[in-house]
Amino acid sequence: TIHRDGFEWRQTFKRGKPAGELEKVGPFRGHGTTIYFEPDSDIFKTTQFDPKWIREHLESMSYIHSGLKIAFKDEIAKETYDLTHPGGIPEFLQRLISEGQKPAVTDTPFALVRNPLTQPSPPKGGEGRERGDGDKMEVALQWTESTDESIRSYVNGIRTSAGGTHENGLKAGIAKAIRNYMETHEVKVKGLTITAEDIREGIVAILSVFVREPMFQGQTKEKLNNPEMLAAVDGWIRPALESWLNGNMTAADQIVGRIVLAAKARLASREAASEVKRKSVTQRRLNLPGKLADCKSTSLEETELFLVEGDSAGGSAKQGRNNKTQAVLPLRGKILNSEGLALNRVLTNTELNDLVTAVGTGAGEKFDINGLRYGKIILLMDADADGHHITTLMLAFFFRHMTELIRKGRVFLAQPPLYRIDVGKETHWARDDAHKEEILAGLRANAKPEVSRFKGLGEMDPKVLADTTLDPRFRTLLQVQIDSNLETDKTFVDLLGKDPSQRYRFIMDKAARAVAEELDV
């Protein structure tokens, strides 16, 4: 429904095509557009909407489009949210930094807008505007004391979580501006080479670009592939950031000092890692858990540790693995719920203590990433409700006591199949009920599929487990990431904390989704 030119207009569409003529409803004062839609059940097998996810997405949009007023009304919960943020991307940046819980290095961020409709003004202080021939681009960034790099990029208001050429241009422009500043002011540290990773360590940045003909990778538009955007963003960012650094010497010195410390820490870490590698393999394995089936390789980048549920599943995994690069540690039953417990109490649990010993980094305040023995830590649990519960317990332990493993991208979730579907000589594997229904719906009309459900990984043939879940050529892994410390903390407190009222509320809110045929009883 569209209000324009003094009238209300209405038209209906189905599957992308008009389902009726454009209707002139009648006179109307004002302007605006209302879109009402229902998912097509022939296309979407599940139509569950997550109000929280929708609200967070709309809130991100209100930051990216700073003049936009958004009101989100959840009619089920009977709640209305005002998602207007006139501060735009700089305000979004401050929110991300506060959620990261690491202090900023400088008092003010660097912010820059290119809008072809605005008049130019020099980039002084924290913000600048310039006139350009291209479409609108906006960036805000600030260095923090965190050891992580956090960059959020958007194209035409769409989050590009996998980055792309525009994000690469931002990274290149930042590195060049810093290097030019250091060269101009003759900042040199003897015996130290500054890398692009050193420069970007601790940076929190938000980049929004608008492209008339974007070329995205994949249907979900997670990555931008327009080759011209790399040079466009690089050439826009570099001179403005360099000028800002020269005009804010105090802030620039703080940033460069932080970068030098990052380079020194990297060098010290590399030397420590080299020292660890020089130790004999025998020495490294002296105190490992007896039930750990270790791998032969000691190369961090090629080794993997599979944490499996029970000795039976452990046996299948040990037989199906590549023993050169893949290690297996069976965990007995459901591990201790570590939520709200002190580390010394947690490590009295044999399973978790064996896990920490096998990983090699220690935990809590004694955690040291240089002791890491495997490049990937992979949680391989049954694809049923019990398996999901154990996975949640494991993730809570990693988040509370070995957080850096997640931040460094070392923790993964395996995706074992729950169903086997045989159609003649063809075999399909389904990871859950929705995937099973999707596969069945795609079979030919006269097909007679035989569907079998795995009770657990232990009953799965080792070769089948290898082909579907262990072999890097065929498997699917999900990398565990932390988008928000505060939100993750709240989630684990609600799900696993001592207060049962939170879980009761969660169950009651979600009860309508648990239809009888989906319950794992």
Side-chain angles (χ1 to χ4, degrees):
T1 302
I2 299 176
H3 300 140
R4 60 176 292 178
D5 302 330
F7 291 93
E8 178 177 297
W9 309 79
R10 185 179 299 158
Q11 189 164 20
T12 304
F13 297 83
K14 186 174 183 179
R15 297 190 180 180
K17 296 180 180 179
E21 297 295 327
L22 177 63
E23 179 186 358
K24 188 175 183 180
V25 180
F28 191 93
R29 294 181 62 184
H31 63 276
T33 300
T34 302
I35 299 175
Y36 173 85
F37 77 95
E38 288 185 2
D40 189 330
S41 59
D42 291 338
I43 296 176
F44 298 98
K45 302 305 176 185
T46 58
T47 56
Q48 297 174 353
F49 292 93
D50 183 349
K52 181 180 176 183
W53 188 93
I54 296 172
R55 175 165 55 86
E56 290 176 351
H57 175 73
L58 292 175
E59 190 161 25
S60 294
M61 294 303 96
S62 69
Y63 284 113
I64 299 302
H65 307 279
S66 58
L68 188 63
K69 294 182 179 180
I70 300 179
F72 173 56
K73 185 177 181 181
D74 183 351
E75 294 183 347
I76 296 177
K78 294 181 172 56
E79 296 176 333
T80 301
Y81 301 90
D82 178 12
L83 305 179
T84 304
H85 293 283
I89 287 180
E91 183 183 344
F92 196 5
L93 178 71
Q94 295 310 307
R95 173 187 153 187
L96 294 181
I97 291 175
S98 64
E99 287 181 350
Q101 298 180 332
K102 294 291 184 180
V105 172
T106 59
D107 293 334
T108 57
F110 168 78
L112 184 68
V113 179
R114 184 181 78 174
N115 191 337
L117 302 179
T118 62
Q119 293 297 322
S121 63
K124 294 180 180 179
E127 183 173 359
R129 293 184 180 274
E130 60 176 31
R131 188 180 184 90
D133 297 328
D135 293 320
K136 180 179 178 180
M137 295 194 289
E138 186 172 1
V139 68
L141 59 90
Q142 196 166 8
W143 276 264
T144 71
E145 297 295 347
S146 172
T147 56
D148 299 322
E149 166 194 328
S150 177
I151 297 178
R152 282 182 174 240
S153 58
Y154 296 81
V155 175
N156 298 350
I158 300 169
R159 171 83 185 274
T160 43
S161 57
T165 51
H166 61 318
E167 193 169 305
N168 293 338
L170 171 65
K171 293 177 179 179
I174 292 172
K176 290 175 184 176
I178 293 291
R179 285 200 170 102
N180 287 347
Y181 176 85
M182 293 179 69
E183 183 176 341
T184 301
H185 297 274
E186 298 182 346
V187 179
K188 296 179 181 179
V189 182
K190 187 176 181 180
L192 194 64
T193 301
I194 304 295
T195 67
E197 288 73 22
D198 297 330
I199 292 173
R200 297 197 307 270
E201 182 177 298
I203 200 168
V204 180
I206 303 170
L207 171 68
S208 173
V209 302
F210 289 84
V211 184
R212 292 185 184 277
E213 296 183 3
M215 294 185 294
F216 290 108
Q217 178 176 302
Q219 291 294 321
T220 53
K221 302 181 179 179
E222 294 178 342
K223 187 174 184 179
L224 182 71
N225 285 339
N226 292 59
E228 74 279 4
M229 289 306 297
L230 193 154
V233 177
D234 180 359
W236 170 62
I237 289 284
R238 180 189 52 75
L241 178 56
E242 191 175 343
S243 176
W244 182 82
L245 291 169
N246 285 312
N248 297 269
M249 296 288 289
T250 301
D253 289 346
Q254 291 170 330
I255 292 169
V256 171
R258 194 255 177 272
I259 291 169
V260 171
L261 287 177
K264 288 182 177 179
R266 174 182 52 79
L267 183 61
S269 175
R270 185 175 65 185
E271 291 174 350
S274 299
E275 183 64 28
V276 170
K277 288 182 180 180
R278 282 195 288 269
K279 294 181 179 179
S280 68
V281 174
T282 303
Q283 181 65 31
R284 290 181 65 202
R285 295 177 175 175
L286 279 178
N287 300 317
L288 293 178
K291 57 185 178 180
L292 171 69
D294 208 357
C295 53
K296 297 177 181 178
S297 174
T298 59
S299 170
L300 191 65
E301 295 311 314
E302 69 174 356
T303 52
E304 304 173 337
L305 174 63
F306 286 87
L307 305 176
V308 299
E309 174 187 349
D311 293 335
S312 178
S316 297
K318 289 175 185 177
Q319 294 179 59
R321 69 177 175 139
N322 176 352
N323 64 3
K324 178 184 177 183
T325 59
Q326 295 178 328
V328 176
L329 178 64
L331 300 173
R332 184 179 55 196
K334 292 185 179 178
I335 66 167
L336 175 72
N337 180 1
S338 59
E339 179 59 37
L341 297 181
L343 181 61
N344 59 354
R345 168 71 179 86
V346 170
L347 293 184
T348 59
N349 178 264
T350 302
E351 307 301 311
L352 292 178
N353 189 60
D354 285 349
L355 165 61
V356 173
T357 303
V359 172
T361 58
E365 293 182 357
K366 295 182 179 180
F367 181 90
D368 181 4
I369 195 68
N370 294 315
L372 184 63
R373 302 184 65 248
Y374 307 97
K376 290 185 176 70
I377 312 298
I378 304 172
L379 278 58
L380 174 55
M381 311 304 169
D382 292 347
D384 57 13
D386 279 342
H388 296 329
H389 185 196
I390 295 172
T391 298
T392 304
L393 293 170
M394 292 295 305
L395 291 176
F397 171 73
F398 281 124
F399 177 69
R400 294 302 184 196
H401 302 293
M402 304 175 80
T403 319
E404 202 64 18
L405 283 180
I406 301 178
R407 296 198 183 284
K408 295 294 185 184
R410 298 294 188 178
V411 181
F412 296 81
L413 303 183
Q415 298 289 282
L418 184 61
Y419 293 98
R420 173 174 178 155
I421 304 172
D422 292 304
V423 186
K425 295 183 179 181
E426 294 183 359
T427 299
H428 303 269
W429 307 98
R431 58 184 173 269
D432 52 33
D433 291 279
H435 193 201
K436 178 191 70 173
E437 296 302 323
E438 181 182 338
I439 293 172
L440 293 176
L443 299 177
R444 57 185 182 276
N446 61 345
K448 297 181 179 179
E450 295 182 10
V451 181
S452 56
R453 186 182 190 277
F454 293 108
K455 293 181 180 178
L457 298 176
E459 71 169 20
M460 194 179 295
D461 183 88
K463 186 178 186 308
V464 171
L465 182 61
D467 290 344
T468 60
T469 315
L470 302 179
D471 194 327
R473 295 174 298 173
F474 309 116
R475 73 189 182 192
T476 298
L477 292 181
L478 301 181
Q479 187 181 54
V480 180
Q481 298 177 343
I482 301 172
D483 284 338
S484 166
N485 276 333
L486 294 178
E487 200 58 44
T488 307
D489 175 83
K490 182 179 183 302
T491 298
F492 284 125
V493 169
D494 288 351
L495 294 180
L496 302 174
K498 295 180 180 180
D499 183 4
S501 65
Q502 298 292 341
R503 284 185 291 282
Y504 176 80
R505 189 177 300 112
F506 176 84
I507 291 170
M508 297 307 295
D509 289 344
K510 309 296 182 183
R513 299 185 183 182
V515 293
E517 59 267 25
E518 292 180 348
L519 291 177
D520 186 10
V521 179

